[in-house]
Amino acid sequence: ASTYAANVTPLLTAGRVVPYLDEKTGKMVGFRVMHTEPKSPLQILAIEDGDILLQVEDVVFNEPAKGLQAIQAVRGKNKVTVFIERAGKRQALISSVK
């Protein structure tokens, strides 16, 4: 369980993330995590350096402005689902919200 998941604003600022572009299409498909701060929301959600944040709930990160939509999507939720790509494989990370 994570009390940090209640507010996704720190999720995208809890380290260093940069837009990640698909090599074939050149279109944004997520945010690559370059660095996570110790005990940050990213680290508490088990997100690691090198992961690609693809989606939070039903908000797909296909443009930088989608971060705000992700924040709105998790308000009032008991659980938050974050989709990532790690080592070429898509995974869902689920965290309870207190």
Side-chain angles (χ1 to χ4, degrees):
S2 168
T3 56
Y4 289 100
N7 184 350
V8 175
T9 302
L11 180 65
L12 296 177
T13 59
R16 185 166 164 245
V17 297
V18 296
Y20 180 75
L21 307 179
D22 181 276
E23 294 174 4
K24 295 178 185 173
T25 66
K27 294 183 180 181
M28 184 173 168
V29 295
F31 291 99
R32 179 177 292 280
V33 178
M34 305 303 288
H35 173 73
T36 57
E37 294 293 328
K39 298 184 181 180
S40 70
L42 291 172
Q43 197 173 67
I44 289 169
L45 287 169
I47 295 170
E48 301 174 0
D49 294 357
D51 286 350
I52 301 167
L53 299 172
L54 302 171
Q55 180 176 337
V56 172
E57 294 298 325
D58 62 350
V59 179
V60 177
F61 292 129
N62 56 6
E63 58 185 64
K66 294 288 181 134
L68 179 59
Q69 288 182 7
I71 294 164
Q72 294 168 344
V74 300
R75 286 197 176 131
K77 300 267 185 179
N78 293 326
K79 289 186 180 178
V80 174
T81 304
V82 178
F83 295 90
I84 65 166
E85 182 178 309
R86 180 177 293 158
K89 295 181 182 176
R90 186 179 170 105
Q91 299 179 30
L93 304 175
I94 301 169
S95 179
S96 296
V97 178
K98 286 188 175 184

